[in-house]
Structures are given as structure tokens and as C-alpha cells.
Amino acid sequence: MNKMSLIQSIHYLLIAILLQSMMCSCSHSAITPNAQSNKPVALFPDYTGVTFPCNIAPPNFRITEEGEAYYTEIGSGNRTFITVRSQASSVILPPDKWEKLLKQAAGSSIYIRICILQNGKWIQFPEITNIISSSPIDPYLMYRLIYPGYELWNEMGIYQRDLTTYKETPLIENQSVEKGCLNCHTFCQNNPETMMIHIRGAVGGTLIHRQGQTSRLDIKTPDMKNGGTYAAWHPTGRYLAFSVNEIQQFIHSTGPKAVEVSDLESDIIVLDTETNRLLTSPAIYGEEWMETFPSWNPDGNMLYFCRSKAVDPQTPLDSIRYDLYRIAFDPEKATFGTPECIYPASEKGKSVSFPRISPDGKYLMFTCSNYGNFSIWHPESELYLLNLESNEIRNMKEVNSADVESFHTWSSTGEWFVFSSKRMDGLWAHPYIAKFDSQMGTAGKPFVLPQQDPDFYLTFTRTFNLPELLTAPVKNRDELITASRNNKRTVSK
């Protein structure tokens, strides 16, 4: 165990002891308020006015108002399920009582009533109302944990979190792959049985798990300068689209963006996983354009991607802008059509990244920033939504903030989505979840992934990267690590 892991383990042990102490000290007797306040009570994290799925872990929080003691009631209708009274401002929800509340309130609202003892008087604050959706969210979330700078890239891992509890388990850590860079992971329609993980370094390669078999491939032929990196599964699970990128990182000594990442060149290829053969077309592979971040539609007959004019070493980074394109694909003949621009973001002084289509095929969500396509480093990046039926595009103001909104994925039903945001402090990206109304094309207020310790996000020093929702846990961890050490299989054109 390294020094950082030991420190974190001690930290979490102390938290567990503190939380247990607080729960044991809570009194469940109701109090009578002496006065009413018109001021909304502030919570951290902000779990006010949000919609929770009916299978989410307890959203523990801290009341950020000053006081000598705190009293909280949480319930639905005329029934109170949880009461917490303590001198501590943290509110820890008993999992069994929270689960009962979720079952009772599914499809309706819950209330949070808070009283604070201030100057010897109990002050009651306005009631908080949240919604419990009857629609569950996919119960697992996969993400990469990495330090937000560039110095400690060799300490990272890919982890899965059970969203119904707080349990987090490692899928693969780079200490298991000779400290290689765990670059990307992706799944076919939220299914852990068809997945991909890309690794850079001494044991670099692409791990592909499909139909119960795991293999390590080199997604590159001798005539290709760069190998496959950013990937997307065809809905059939047979084809895997990759962008082949030459990525350059720039470190700035001054200015608001300390790190900048850019493509020097990129193209798109498609791997036929049944034949280990690479497919492509001059329409999406060549020197005139840069194509990246592929994404299939649910029918599998259209491939969406981001495209920019090719650059040279003298091209200013802030002049590189990507438009949103798509190209027809015939899965039977494995042939491509003609590229079509569906959103010329560059004409509006914007740049597109991460196109992801909802499972019903009605909406395409993407990230929009001022230039480039590595939006995690751009504070101005925001989520946009394209209605594929009406072709209307709008800024998703209901979920965006004053800081970074970046990588996002849909749930398997399209009723939820998760995205990375740096809104909390501008440094670390955290996973936020939001309910999506497919009929209206709108989202609810997002909430950060619940943690057992309400102050978790104030002390955790790694960033959550590439959050992906899964319908079940990945169970082949040992098989993936073993495959990462096997000889790489080659592909052909």
C-alpha cells in the first residue's frame, strides 16, 4: 500500500468512527420550533429540489448553517421515516430507513424539515422538497480516478461503484499493468459483457471483452502512424469504432488554463471484432481532415463524430474547432456513405466533442466549448442537446454551471444521464446525475453522486473521469489483468 492509500485508509476509518458516533448520539424526539425563518437552508452537497432515482444510496449531507444543535425530519406525505437530532451538522441517513422511504415515495415527493438551535432557540427553516422517481437508474457506475494534474498520471485506476450503496471496487489499477496509462473504457449499450479498455505503456494495448472472451489487441497496422484510442461499440456488439489520434499536451506557465490537450492529427477506423479486420474509408481517413470521438446511433446505420480541418505545427490551438458530422454505415456490407455536417459549430465560434445519442435515438447530447475538443480543460464547456427529429439545438442551461461540464453518458433507458462537472471547486471533476424527460427534451436539476461522508468531495484529491453507467457489475477483473499480460494480437485491413 502506498503512502497516499494509507493516509486515505486512515482518513476513512476516522470518518466511519465519527459517523457511527453521530448516529448513536442522535435523539429521535421531535422538537417544537420557537421561530420560523424565511431563508432557505443551505446543504452540502446541494440535495435540494432534485429528482432521485428510486434505487440511489442515501444522499447524506451537511447543514452549512451555524448552530448549537440540529434536528432533521425526512418523510413523505404524512409519514416521517427518518429523524436525526445531533450537535453535529452532518445528517447521516440510515440505509434501511432510506430504502423504506424510497419504496414508499417512488413516483411522488419527499420533504426535508430542518430546525437549528441558534442562540438557545430552535429556528425552523423552509421545507425542502425533492422527488423520488419510480424509474431506477442503472445500478453501477464505472469511472477512472486520476489526479487532476499531469505529474501523477502513473497513479490511476478504473473503478466501479454500486449506486445503491457506497461500495466501490477496483476493476483495474495501473499498478497491475506496470503503471501503464489506463486511457479509456467503454461498453456496448451499458452492458458489462461487451467492453473495451485501452492501456498505454509497456503492456499497452486494447483489452476487448466480448462473448465471454477477453483478448489484447494492437489496433494498428504497420502503415498506420497512430493506434486506436477513443472507441464506441456498434449496438450489435460486432463493430468497434475508434479514432486514431496523435495527442499533444501543452503546459502553460500563466493563464486560466494550466494544461491544454490537442490533436495534431486524427482519423476514424472500425474494427470488425469477428475477423480482427480494420475497416475505413477515404471519407473519414486522410490528411485533409481530423475526425475523432465516434458514436453510433441505436440502429447502427449511422456513425456520428467530430471533425476539424487538419492542422500544422504553426496552427494556433485556439483556432481549432470541430463540427458535428455523421456518416451512413451498412453493417451487412461493412461500407460507408458520405459525411454530412449536422452542426457547423465552428461557424458560431464553438467546438464540439463527445457526441452521445439517447437509447431511443431522439436526442444527441454533446459538449460545446470555445475551441479544441478536450473540454475537461475548458471552464466554458457546456452540455448541448440536439433533437434529431426536429434538428433543434439548445444549450442545456438547466444542468450547466459556471465551470466545466464535460464527458456524459446515458442510462440504458435514457431516463437518466451522468456527466463530469468541476462546478464544485473548478479543479476536480465529479460525477453528477440528472433525470431526463424524453417527451419534453429537458433535464432536472443535477445532483452529485452520494457518498457516505458528506464532506467526501472536500477532502478527496482525485478527479472522476469518463463516468459510464452499467446495468450490472463487471465481474471479470482477474481475466482483464491476465489478458493485459498476454501477447497482443494483430489486426489487418
Side-chain angles (χ1 to χ4, degrees):
M1 180 180 293
N2 60 35
K3 182 178 179 181
M4 181 60 70
S5 298
L6 178 61
I7 292 173
Q8 290 178 340
S9 297
I10 295 173
H11 175 73
Y12 293 145
L13 177 61
L14 292 174
I15 289 172
I17 295 172
L18 174 62
L19 297 183
Q20 182 65 34
S21 173
M22 289 193 318
M23 291 180 68
C24 292
S25 67
C26 292
S27 169
H28 298 284
S29 59
I31 59 94
T32 301
N34 303 110
Q36 302 283 334
S37 173
N38 294 323
K39 174 189 173 184
V41 65
L43 309 183
F44 179 84
D46 181 11
Y47 294 136
T48 64
V50 302
T51 298
F52 293 115
C54 59
N55 60 335
I56 197 71
N60 296 331
F61 58 87
R62 177 168 52 83
I63 303 167
T64 61
E65 309 287 345
E66 293 293 330
E68 296 111 48
Y70 301 84
Y71 177 77
T72 301
E73 291 182 353
I74 303 177
S76 179
N78 296 321
R79 183 180 176 187
T80 298
F81 286 78
I82 300 171
T83 61
V84 178
R85 180 173 177 174
S86 174
Q87 291 182 334
S89 60
S90 293
V91 178
I92 309 302
L93 310 180
D96 56 340
K97 294 183 179 181
W98 173 253
E99 185 176 354
K100 290 179 182 179
L101 174 58
L102 289 179
K103 291 179 180 179
Q104 176 72 26
S108 60
S109 63
I110 64 171
Y111 60 78
I112 301 177
R113 297 169 182 159
I114 293 176
C115 292
I116 303 176
L117 185 64
Q118 296 177 330
N119 299 318
K121 295 183 179 180
W122 284 103
I123 310 299
Q124 182 170 313
F125 287 77
E127 188 172 286
I128 295 167
T129 301
N130 293 319
I131 303 295
I132 305 298
S133 172
S134 56
S135 302
I137 192 171
D138 294 339
Y140 287 87
L141 184 69
M142 188 75 68
Y143 44 78
R144 181 172 68 159
L145 291 178
I146 185 171
Y147 290 97
Y150 59 91
E151 300 93 341
L152 298 175
W153 66 269
N154 62 339
E155 291 186 26
M156 67 174 71
I158 298 176
Y159 301 83
Q160 62 182 358
R161 162 71 188 269
D162 183 346
L163 296 184
T164 68
T165 69
Y166 307 111
K167 185 177 180 180
E168 179 191 82
T169 55
L171 178 62
I172 185 169
E173 296 171 304
N174 66 350
Q175 293 179 359
S176 302
V177 291
E178 299 184 23
K179 294 194 175 181
C181 178
L182 301 171
N183 188 250
C184 292
H185 54 273
T186 190
F187 304 85
C188 181
Q189 297 183 317
N190 310 83
N191 186 346
E193 296 301 318
T194 305
M195 64 177 295
M196 181 228 74
I197 297 177
H198 184 67
I199 304 173
R200 294 175 179 170
V203 294
T206 299
L207 302 180
I208 294 179
H209 180 74
R210 178 178 178 269
Q211 296 182 343
Q213 300 294 322
T214 305
S215 57
R216 176 174 171 240
L217 274 69
D218 186 9
I219 310 298
K220 182 180 179 182
T221 59
D223 63 325
M224 291 172 56
K225 184 177 180 181
N226 304 299
T229 304
Y230 307 117
W233 284 99
H234 190 269
T236 63
R238 174 174 178 175
Y239 299 106
L240 190 54
F242 288 90
S243 59
V244 290
N245 308 68
E246 183 175 345
I247 300 169
Q248 181 67 50
Q249 189 176 67
F250 302 89
I251 309 299
H252 300 296
S253 60
T254 60
K257 298 174 183 176
V259 180
E260 188 69 76
V261 181
S262 179
D263 273 337
L264 298 184
E265 60 179 77
S266 57
D267 294 290
I268 287 180
I269 58 176
V270 174
L271 172 68
D272 184 341
T273 61
E274 292 186 359
T275 64
N276 277 357
R277 178 169 157 261
L278 291 178
L279 314 170
T280 192
S281 163
I284 51 175
Y285 194 103
E287 297 181 356
E288 183 180 359
W289 300 90
M290 297 194 302
E291 295 91 358
T292 190
F293 295 136
S295 182
W296 299 97
N297 70 340
D299 292 333
N301 58 7
M302 199 70 68
L303 181 65
Y304 289 76
F305 56 95
C306 306
R307 189 185 225 193
S308 169
K309 279 287 188 179
V311 299
D312 58 46
Q314 285 71 47
T315 303
L317 294 180
D318 59 5
S319 70
I320 304 172
R321 293 185 173 88
Y322 290 78
D323 297 322
L324 181 61
Y325 272 77
R326 66 185 176 190
I327 188 171
F329 178 74
D330 186 331
E332 296 297 326
K333 299 178 181 179
T335 56
F336 298 89
T338 302
E340 172 192 5
C341 180
I342 59 173
Y343 180 49
S346 59
E347 295 180 4
K348 306 177 186 301
K350 292 292 184 179
S351 188
V352 170
S353 59
F354 304 130
R356 305 298 288 263
I357 301 175
S358 60
D360 60 9
K362 290 176 60 176
Y363 299 95
L364 186 151
M365 193 181 299
F366 61 92
T367 300
C368 211
S369 55
N370 288 345
Y371 63 90
N373 66 358
F374 289 87
S375 51
I376 195 67
W377 302 109
H378 289 241
E380 81 283 357
S381 65
E382 295 181 313
L383 296 182
Y384 278 60
L385 192 71
L386 164 62
N387 186 320
L388 292 170
E389 296 179 342
S390 66
N391 292 323
E392 295 179 356
I393 294 177
R394 71 175 184 87
N395 182 315
M396 298 187 72
K397 295 181 179 180
E398 69 270 33
V399 300
N400 290 324
S401 70
D403 218 301
V404 174
E405 267 69 59
S406 187
F407 187 85
H408 47 276
T409 54
W410 297 92
S411 69
S412 60
T413 64
E415 296 179 274
W416 302 91
F417 64 93
V418 60
F419 63 98
S420 296
S421 178
K422 291 185 177 180
R423 66 186 62 195
M424 198 173 290
D425 52 30
L427 295 174
W428 285 271
H430 302 128
Y432 281 75
I433 297 169
K435 184 75 170 66
F436 187 76
D437 185 334
S438 181
Q439 295 298 317
M440 301 298 295
T442 57
K445 179 181 175 180
F447 62 92
V448 73
L449 174 65
Q451 304 287 350
Q452 185 174 20
D453 176 16
D455 288 335
F456 172 89
Y457 294 108
L458 299 180
T459 58
F460 192 67
T461 56
R462 286 192 284 176
T463 197
F464 290 75
N465 187 247
L466 306 178
E468 293 266 3
L469 288 163
L470 295 176
T471 56
V474 175
K475 298 180 179 180
N476 59 328
R477 177 180 184 274
D478 293 340
E479 184 180 339
L480 290 169
I481 294 174
T482 299
S484 70
R485 296 168 183 151
N486 293 338
N487 292 330
K488 283 189 288 188
R489 297 166 59 187
T490 58
V491 296
S492 61
K493 283 190 176 180

